[in-house]
Amino acid sequence: DTAVSQTPKYLVTQMGNDKSIKCEQNLGHDTMYWYKQDSKKFLKIMFSYNNKELIINETVPNRFSPKSPDKAHLNLHINSLELGDSAVYFCASSQPGEIAKNIQYFGAGTRLSVL
Amino acid sequence: SQKIEQNSEALNIQEGKTATLTCNYTNYSPAYLQWYRQDPGRGPVFLLLIRENEKEKRKERLKVTFDTTLKQSLFHITASQPADSATYLCAPPGGYSTLTFGKGTMLLVSP
């Protein structure tokens, strides 16, 4: 049973389109994240949510809008896609606190290609 | 600003040897540091966590050290195997329960 699952695995679309990526975790974690990994393999935090509330938005264009309907789900909607949005997007979850130390569990990633 | 540096070049070693990967950090005093493994086409997977008051941590063939004076963590894989080939990422904490990932070092173990 996959701990953090995200769909779709691949997403190919035209510039200007709107698309969504879904993420679900069954670990009972309070915190979920979206990361972007570009062609240089740098893994950068985009958003962090704790119990459905936005904690961090790391200077991401407002074309990106995360939505957390409950603490087990964090979806990412992207409007007006641009070529530079092509990357692999990872969802992750963690349980903050002294014991768990924010060890993060990642999904398999969504490879987004904007043509 | 905080900076995490890992060997940018791939590390090529022969099976059976010990691989040593380096993570240096500046403008930063992390209370702990995590190491992850990432295989092509997959998400990172947690390997080890070491706290600032721990000099060394081991798990099977893996060993991590943490030198707060040198601002450096070393990640060792002993008796390396081709299956150990992957990218290894170091990750000290960022703000608000996040982690700041280094660029990672690709390890290639040849038979």
Side-chain angles (χ1 to χ4, degrees):
Chain A
D1 207 15
T2 308
V4 180
S5 57
Q6 53 181 110
T7 54
K9 190 162 172 61
Y10 299 98
L11 192 49
V12 181
T13 188
Q14 301 284 337
M15 255 190 341
N17 283 350
D18 303 338
K19 289 292 176 188
S20 291
I21 308 171
K22 294 188 173 184
C23 179
E24 175 181 2
Q25 54 99 0
N26 63 4
L27 297 167
H29 289 163
D30 287 336
T31 306
M32 294 185 73
Y33 313 83
W34 278 109
Y35 286 87
K36 178 180 180 180
Q37 189 168 46
D38 59 24
S39 55
K40 293 181 182 174
K41 305 298 182 189
F42 220 153
L43 195 61
K44 276 189 169 177
I45 183 75
M46 298 173 68
F47 299 103
S48 165
Y49 266 73
N50 188 60
N51 264 319
K52 305 191 299 174
E53 293 203 12
L54 178 66
I55 303 298
I56 282 202
N57 173 349
E58 282 289 327
T59 59
V60 177
N62 57 16
R63 297 183 295 105
F64 290 77
S65 50
K67 282 205 170 43
S68 183
D70 55 61
K71 77 171 195 177
H73 295 84
L74 180 62
N75 303 323
L76 184 64
H77 187 76
I78 317 169
N79 289 327
S80 304
L81 278 154
E82 299 177 357
L83 293 175
D85 297 332
S86 296
V88 182
Y89 292 84
F90 287 100
C91 176
S93 73
S94 75
Q95 189 60 25
E98 186 54 33
I99 294 172
K101 283 290 187 200
N102 288 320
I103 292 169
Q104 304 205 356
Y105 295 79
F106 285 81
T110 295
R111 182 174 293 277
L112 172 65
S113 298
V114 183
L115 308 176
Chain B
S1 60
Q2 296 168 1
K3 215 172 165 186
I4 317 295
E5 286 179 359
Q6 295 187 251
N7 322 53
S8 53
E9 303 293 325
L11 181 63
N12 285 277
I13 63 166
Q14 262 200 309
E15 185 174 9
K17 302 286 186 190
T18 296
T20 299
L21 285 65
T22 306
C23 175
N24 294 304
Y25 56 91
T26 51
N27 300 325
Y28 203 11
S29 295
Y32 60 87
L33 201 142
Q34 301 183 22
W35 283 88
Y36 289 74
R37 169 184 172 141
Q38 186 173 21
D39 290 282
R42 299 194 163 202
V45 174
F46 170 76
L47 295 174
L48 279 167
L49 181 152
I50 186 164
R51 292 174 168 74
E52 62 181 338
N53 60 353
E54 296 173 319
K55 287 277 193 289
E56 183 180 294
K57 200 78 167 278
R58 289 176 187 261
K59 179 182 171 185
E60 297 169 358
R61 295 183 295 109
L62 308 181
K63 183 178 93 172
V64 172
T65 61
F66 195 5
D67 189 324
T68 54
T69 305
L70 290 178
K71 292 188 178 292
Q72 182 181 78
S73 176
L74 298 179
F75 179 85
H76 307 271
I77 306 176
T78 56
S80 58
Q81 303 165 1
D84 295 326
S85 299
T87 296
Y88 292 86
L89 306 161
C90 79
Y96 300 103
S97 305
T98 64
L99 296 175
T100 302
F101 284 87
K103 273 190 179 178
T105 300
M106 185 183 294
L107 172 67
L108 297 165
V109 182
S110 47

